[in-house]
């Protein structure tokens, strides 16, 4: 099981009435179907949390990815507080 957290921006949410139901949940379902059709159906994605971040995207998609991942850059830092206590997650010091 792969737990997934999705952070979406206000700009992304503006394009949908229900971004979770129209985009995020179908993407999880399509990923699971792709795994099944590829013969690796024992791997499953599970959406554990989706939330709207205050982050305003600008520039390159890889910049956004690094800002999402970096714990000390001042961008989307709330994700780290959300991620660690959710089911299936472990803090680095607890992972073995």
């Amino acid at each position: 099981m792969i737990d997934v957290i999705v952070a979406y921006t206000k700009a992304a949410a503006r394009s949908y009435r229900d971004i979770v139901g129209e985009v995020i949940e179908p993407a999880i379902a399509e990923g699971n179907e792709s795994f099944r059709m590829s013969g690796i159906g024992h791997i499953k994605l599970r959406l554990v949390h989706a939330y709207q971040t205050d982050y305003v995207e600008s520039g390159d998609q890889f910049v956004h990815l690094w800002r999402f991942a970096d714990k000390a850059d001042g961008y989307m830092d709330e994700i780290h507080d959300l991620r660690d206590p959710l089911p299936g997650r472990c803090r680095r010091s607890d992972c073995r």
Side-chain angles (χ1 to χ4, degrees):
M1 183 74 61
I2 300 171
D3 289 342
V4 178
I5 299 173
V6 176
Y8 56 89
T9 64
K10 291 176 187 174
R14 268 196 295 269
S15 299
Y16 302 93
R17 234 177 353 161
D18 174 14
I19 193 168
V20 173
E22 294 176 52
V23 177
I24 298 168
E25 289 173 344
I28 297 292
E30 288 174 19
N32 287 332
E33 180 64 10
S34 294
F35 292 154
R36 188 192 65 73
M37 292 177 66
S38 298
I40 54 172
H42 62 284
I43 299 173
K44 298 220 183 312
L45 302 174
R46 176 175 64 171
L47 180 64
V48 294
H49 191 57
Y51 78 101
Q52 184 172 300
T53 180
D54 290 333
Y55 178 73
V56 177
E57 64 269 40
S58 63
D60 184 286
Q61 67 181 1
F62 294 108
V63 170
H64 306 315
L65 178 61
W66 287 114
R67 287 178 174 173
F68 188 78
D70 191 338
K71 287 187 173 187
D73 65 356
Y75 294 98
M76 292 187 278
D77 290 337
E78 75 278 359
I79 187 64
H80 310 294
D81 291 334
L82 289 170
R83 182 193 64 210
D84 291 337
L86 286 170
R89 298 302 305 172
C90 57
R91 297 188 196 297
R92 283 192 180 160
S93 61
D94 295 336
C95 294
R96 307 225 194 291

